[in-house]
Amino acid sequence: MGETTPRLQLGVIGALALSVTSSVAIVICNKALMSNLGFPFATTLTSWHLMVTFCTLHVAQRFNVFETKAVDTKTVMLFGILNGISIGLLNLSLGFNSIGFYQMTKLAIIPFTVLLETLFLKKQFSQNIKFSLSLLLLGVGIASITDLQLNLVGSIISLLAIATTCVGQILTNTIQKRLNVSSTQLLYQSAPFQAGILFVFGPLVDKCLTKQNVLAYKYSPFVLAFIILSCVISVSVNFSTFLVIGKTSPVTYQVLGHLKTCLVLGFGYTLLHDPFTNRNIIGILVAMFGMGLYSYFCTRENKKKQINDLSSQTKETTPFLGSKNNQDMMEEVKKPNKDSLV
């Protein structure tokens, strides 16, 4: 146990670091591609992301990097379709809203996820956890509200994205644990279904929303370079998403997402020249403090849970050991005593 726990913690830290780095990179890349280079086909781009991810995992599986595991096809298909819709809606939200409103959309995912897990999975969240999450949401709200630009289409897309994302992330965690599959195995099994639904409906959705045809778009070498870069980064994004949710929880993944929010706002100001004021800085600091409290309370409660589990195991084993000792003592009493016979 002493060796397993540090390895597990190292794996979680590595997954979190990969998720933060790749997600911030792809948000900046996609925003530059859609806003600065005039490539608005977010849903089609997502289907290419997932196809590249599946092809990469297929090659890795051929080289025995990981083993496939048989999973119920209907479950994976429905999960893949839901996740594909969720990813497509989030990308559409990014394409048709400002970075601030996109982050506000992700902001609403935490309370909605907590509500769903409380109602349907009977999961309990302590007051300390709720307080730290509220502080986190407040900070991100303060940081993002100055970059808030509303539009009807973007708002509708964002509402749909919140609902599908919450359900999809809860299922990601639940399926991995109940079916005992790794994040890589689940992603490999579901990626074709996610890519398929977006590949079929992506161009139609993009045409309805942008009034442009992705097939008629004139691809310059610069746009192609950014598309390839976005697809490459997406492999890490998709893999780390499944990895983090499987190792932690949907709520923790969303908390991590708001660390990305702060980084995206900073990079957006630096690279994309988005508006940035003192209010952004205050909001980011409050959000960081909320993240720190959340991490502290989670760590403390996990340690407390481990101590309680060990205590309960001790209580279960002590009567058994005690009865065995009593039985041995009785056998010793029944044995003839040589001294008494003399």
Side-chain angles (χ1 to χ4, degrees):
M1 288 295 293
E3 294 180 357
T4 303
T5 302
R7 289 181 181 177
L8 180 60
Q9 292 176 346
L10 186 62
V12 172
I13 293 173
L16 296 176
L18 178 63
S19 179
V20 170
T21 304
S22 57
S23 295
V24 171
I26 201 167
V27 166
I28 298 298
C29 179
N30 287 351
K31 194 63 181 180
L33 183 62
M34 296 176 190
S35 299
N36 295 6
L37 299 178
F39 184 84
F41 309 107
T43 312
T44 303
L45 179 63
T46 304
S47 69
W48 298 344
H49 287 171
L50 289 164
M51 283 190 288
V52 171
T53 299
F54 173 72
C55 292
T56 303
L57 291 177
H58 185 68
V59 172
Q61 190 269 333
R62 288 291 185 181
F63 282 94
N64 297 320
V65 175
F66 68 96
E67 295 181 359
T68 56
K69 185 173 183 178
V71 183
D72 179 56
T73 305
K74 184 178 179 181
T75 299
V76 173
M77 181 177 68
L78 293 175
F79 169 74
I81 291 173
L82 176 65
N83 241 11
I85 294 173
S86 167
I87 295 172
L89 288 172
L90 280 173
N91 273 353
L92 282 173
S93 178
L94 175 62
F96 289 92
N97 295 302
S98 64
I99 289 183
F101 191 81
Y102 171 72
Q103 298 302 334
M104 289 296 292
T105 298
K106 296 179 71 175
L107 189 69
I109 293 174
I110 282 185
F112 198 81
T113 302
V114 170
L115 178 64
L116 289 180
E117 289 193 319
T118 302
L119 292 177
F120 296 102
L121 300 181
K122 307 302 179 183
K123 188 173 180 179
Q124 299 297 323
F125 295 88
S126 68
Q127 293 299 324
N128 288 334
I129 293 294
K130 291 178 181 178
F131 171 73
S132 60
L133 289 175
S134 300
L135 196 61
L136 166 66
L137 297 178
L138 175 63
V140 177
I142 293 173
S144 303
I145 198 68
T146 54
D147 188 28
L148 189 61
Q149 299 173 13
L150 296 174
N151 65 82
L152 180 61
V153 174
S155 300
I156 294 173
I157 291 173
S158 294
L159 289 174
L160 294 174
I162 291 169
T164 54
T165 300
C166 289
V167 176
Q169 290 180 357
I170 291 173
L171 287 177
T172 300
N173 182 269
T174 304
I175 291 175
Q176 288 188 54
K177 291 181 177 178
R178 290 189 179 179
L179 300 183
N180 194 28
V181 295
S182 68
S183 55
T184 308
Q185 291 169 335
L186 182 58
L187 179 58
Y188 179 67
Q189 297 277 0
S190 61
F193 298 105
Q194 297 179 51
I197 189 170
L198 292 176
F199 185 76
V200 172
F201 293 103
L204 297 176
V205 173
D206 287 337
K207 188 174 183 179
C208 290
L209 295 175
T210 65
K211 308 301 181 183
Q212 299 181 51
N213 189 343
V214 66
L215 299 178
Y217 182 83
K218 295 181 179 180
Y219 294 87
S220 67
F222 204 54
V223 170
L224 287 175
F226 266 84
I227 290 175
I228 294 172
L229 177 61
S230 180
C231 289
V232 171
I233 299 173
S234 72
V235 177
S236 294
V237 173
N238 293 327
F239 174 72
S240 62
T241 297
F242 278 65
L243 191 62
V244 170
I245 295 176
K247 287 182 176 292
T248 57
S249 70
V251 174
T252 299
Y253 175 74
Q254 287 303 321
V255 170
L256 181 69
H258 293 304
L259 171 60
K260 304 169 192 175
T261 300
C262 299
L263 295 175
V264 165
L265 288 173
F267 280 115
Y269 171 73
T270 305
L271 301 179
L272 304 179
H273 306 292
D274 288 334
F276 202 77
T277 65
N278 291 332
R279 191 170 184 175
N280 293 115
I281 298 174
I282 294 172
I284 289 173
L285 292 176
V286 173
M288 290 290 190
F289 183 66
M291 290 177 206
L293 284 180
Y294 177 79
S295 300
Y296 170 74
F297 290 136
C298 281
T299 302
R300 191 176 71 174
E301 291 182 11
N302 286 337
K303 288 182 178 179
K304 186 177 180 180
K305 183 179 178 182
Q306 290 175 0
I307 293 173
N308 291 336
D309 290 342
L310 289 174
S311 299
S312 62
Q313 290 176 5
T314 304
K315 290 178 180 179
E316 290 176 0
T317 55
T318 299
F320 174 75
L321 292 174
S323 62
K324 184 176 181 180
N325 291 335
N326 290 335
Q327 185 177 358
D328 292 340
M329 290 174 66
M330 290 298 294
E331 291 178 357
E332 290 294 329
V333 170
K334 291 179 181 179
K335 287 181 180 179
N337 192 325
K338 294 181 180 181
D339 294 335
S340 63
L341 291 175
V342 176

